[in-house]
Amino acid sequence: MTLYKAPLDDQRFALFDVLGAEAVLTGLEGGEGHTRDLLDAVLEEAGKLSEQVLAPTNWPGDLEGCHYDKATRTVTTPKGFKEAFKAFAEGGWAGLTMPEAYGGQALPAVMGTATTELFQSGNLSWSLYPLLSEGACHAMELHGEEWHRQLYMQPIVEGRWTGTMCLTEPQAGSDLGLLKTRAEPAGKGINDADLYKITGTKIFISAGEHDLTENIVHLVLARLPDAPAGSRGISMFIVPKFKVNADGSLGERNSAFAGAIEHKMGIKGSATCVMNFDGAEGYLIGQPHKGLMAMFTMMNAARLAVGVQGLALAERALQNSLNYARERLQSRALSGAKFPDKPADNLLVQPDVRRMLLTQRAFVEGSRLLVLYNALQVDIEARAKDEATRQKASELVAFLIPISKGLVTELAIECTKEALQIYGGHGYIGENGMEQFARDARITTLYEGTTGIQAADLLGRKILQLQGVGFKHLLEEISGFCQQHSADESLRALIGPLAVYAKQWGDMTMKLAQRVQGNPEELGAAANDYLYYSGYVTLAYLWAKSVAAADKSSRPAAFKQAKRDTASFYFTRILPRCLVHQAGIEAGVVTLPEIA
């Protein structure tokens, strides 16, 4: 069994000291009550739920996994999951960021991100059941009709139902333009709305079937009879597990069943389903042939949430590997015994162990700042009082999403690998927990768009198609920070390198854009390295901000020194990785010959 203590102190530092979240949130429309006292209390309660209810189910849930009954086509979740979901729903967590009109608490998105980290650290597999519900609700809120929101969204907000997003098909993968699921008109239904029969198979559907709630609302991508080919011919439909009557009561079972659950490398307590829709009744949500656009409402939220999953796993792995390194007595320091009264020194006397721990700490605390900064921009985008501020935040969000998803999940793999390495052979043993974190982290780089897809989105869409507008905002922010602290002697070791790398980032981006215009293949050749380069510089900026904020805070001296030491480690040992990625970018597609 592994330990877990909610990292509330570092969350609060990131939110309030570094990002100034209280001043930002209380200055937004409807944010007057979003004070630090309220947000602190929410974090405290979320931490308790994660530590006391979710964390104890993590390893047992992985051992037990989910049970699929072929005869009834139903899924039973691991022991303790149902009780944990009941506590989650009764605590109002399902509707934390949802509108009050539908039973939610209307708290800011950044609080949803912070509490989600805590829940996912407690038990990632369990957290996947309510995860997509938030995205489903946002899709219905933005693209649905009022009766959709009343009939299908409100029960999700109340924690009585959950939601899914059904995109991928066996032959399509990430190329949704190839999907074959069809929607055929079937007369009129509730509120005299057009009713459709949905037929097709979807795969990799998280929480597609389970026993935690009385109903599941699937948002399904399908083609209407007159749909044009490709991604422009996709519509989105609400397809509930149980049909819903006009008064909100449940009717008969819909023809939407789990055909199987996947046998996976990790997240074994999460039911990843093959979903078969055999003339299942559903209703169009949004405009015909505009379903992919509506689904992106869910996908962007889900991509940020998956980045948070990577952070959550890395945090728990760090806590346990640090504790192990403190307690494990083995060998002696190279310079002589540090604990001569004991039979051996602990692992912390070994420089390479400290390297692995500092790598984890640098990535965990830096990633926390990144995802919270991203989420705070989501709040500004939604509720700032002027259009220009909302637009700037929207452009920043678009730019940061692929970094928050792509980089943070890749770093989670590195962190969980280093945590396992610190344990040595004991890390390979199941009951010590490290191998589960390493297995679970692996999926985070795959679903909701692989790292390659995130990289292509960052470079191809956010830089080239959108002319790097969000990128320019971030560069201006970094430049302003460097100018503000140019005379600060205590930050000189950070500000100088940050300014140099930021300038190189901008210059390299312009040169790369010109190369891609000459040969589109250069985009694919450079995208992955560009994602890493962008992420490492962004984390450098956030680490410099972190040290500046720590210096000004009333935090204990040890806290401040730890921030400065970790930032120094990041700048001297991690940030130079940019040079390798720059070399990869400059090498070009010519160094990637065709393979027969």
Side-chain angles (χ1 to χ4, degrees), residues 442-461:
R442 195 63 190 86
I443 186 60
T444 63
T445 66
L446 302 176
Y447 57 15
E448 302 307 333
T450 64
T451 304
I453 288 173
Q454 305 305 319
D457 178 50
L458 177 66
L459 181 56
R461 177 167 172 75

Side-chain angles (χ1 to χ4, degrees), residues 179-232:
L179 70 82
K180 296 180 179 179
T181 299
R182 63 185 188 274
E184 299 173 342
K188 297 292 183 179
I190 299 171
N191 291 336
D192 203 35
D194 291 333
L195 187 66
Y196 295 87
K197 292 294 184 73
I198 313 299
T199 302
T201 296
K202 301 289 184 177
I203 62 171
F204 304 156
I205 308 305
S206 297
E209 170 62 24
H210 58 78
D211 60 349
L212 304 183
T213 58
E214 62 186 17
N215 204 8
I216 303 171
V217 178
H218 304 288
L219 294 192
V220 184
L221 293 185
R223 294 186 184 281
L224 291 166
D226 62 343
S231 60
R232 295 183 179 181

Side-chain angles (χ1 to χ4, degrees), residues 145-373:
E145 299 178 30
E146 181 57 25
W147 71 270
H148 294 152
R149 293 186 279 272
Q150 294 286 349
L151 210 58
Y152 299 104
M153 175 179 163
Q154 186 159 331
I156 298 177
V157 173
E158 293 171 354
R160 295 190 289 115
W161 301 357
T162 58
T164 75
M165 49 193 288
C166 298
L167 292 78
T168 307
E169 299 181 6
Q171 79 291 344
S174 298
D175 187 355
L176 297 178
L178 298 177
L179 70 82
K180 296 180 179 179
T181 299
R182 63 185 188 274
E184 299 173 342
K188 297 292 183 179
I190 299 171
N191 291 336
D192 203 35
D194 291 333
L195 187 66
Y196 295 87
K197 292 294 184 73
I198 313 299
T199 302
T201 296
K202 301 289 184 177
I203 62 171
F204 304 156
I205 308 305
S206 297
E209 170 62 24
H210 58 78
D211 60 349
L212 304 183
T213 58
E214 62 186 17
N215 204 8
I216 303 171
V217 178
H218 304 288
L219 294 192
V220 184
L221 293 185
R223 294 186 184 281
L224 291 166
D226 62 343
S231 60
R232 295 183 179 181
I234 298 174
S235 300
M236 185 163 71
F237 298 85
I238 297 174
V239 184
K241 173 181 175 178
F242 286 94
K243 298 176 185 179
V244 183
N245 299 316
D247 62 358
S249 62
L250 296 184
E252 65 181 359
R253 186 72 157 82
N254 209 349
S255 297
F257 291 94
I261 58 174
E262 304 290 356
H263 302 284
K264 310 185 297 292
M265 175 182 177
I267 54 170
K268 295 186 176 183
S270 171
T272 305
C273 300
V274 175
M275 293 299 301
N276 295 323
F277 299 91
D278 186 14
E281 292 186 1
Y283 293 93
L284 180 70
I285 177 172
Q287 297 300 311
H289 318 314
K290 301 294 183 183
L292 193 57
M293 182 184 303
M295 188 66 81
F296 272 121
T297 302
M298 299 177 67
M299 289 176 66
N300 276 332
R303 285 175 172 179
L304 178 57
V306 173
V308 178
Q309 289 178 13
L311 162 63
L313 289 168
E315 168 64 40
R316 193 160 180 182
L318 169 60
Q319 288 189 23
N320 284 272
S321 59
L322 176 58
N323 184 66
Y324 185 81
R326 285 168 173 160
E327 295 183 351
R328 176 69 170 176
L329 300 180
Q330 183 173 309
S331 72
R332 292 293 187 185
L334 297 175
S335 56
K338 304 302 181 185
F339 299 92
D341 57 327
K342 295 182 178 181
D345 293 335
N346 68 19
L347 293 180
L348 287 176
V349 305
Q350 304 298 334
D352 194 54
V353 171
R354 297 199 298 275
R355 175 193 62 79
M356 290 186 279
L357 288 167
L358 283 165
T359 298
Q360 292 179 70
R361 179 179 286 172
F363 288 153
V364 165
E365 295 177 10
S367 294
R368 179 172 293 121
L369 280 166
L370 173 58
V371 298
L372 291 175
Y373 174 68

Side-chain angles (χ1 to χ4, degrees), residues 58-91:
N58 185 56
W59 187 54
D62 182 71
L63 287 178
E64 180 183 354
C66 292
H67 308 278
Y68 176 72
D69 188 308
K70 189 174 181 179
T72 61
R73 293 180 286 183
T74 58
V75 172
T76 303
T77 54
K79 182 180 179 181
F81 276 37
K82 197 167 186 176
E83 293 77 11
F85 195 91
K86 181 180 179 181
F88 175 83
E90 289 177 348

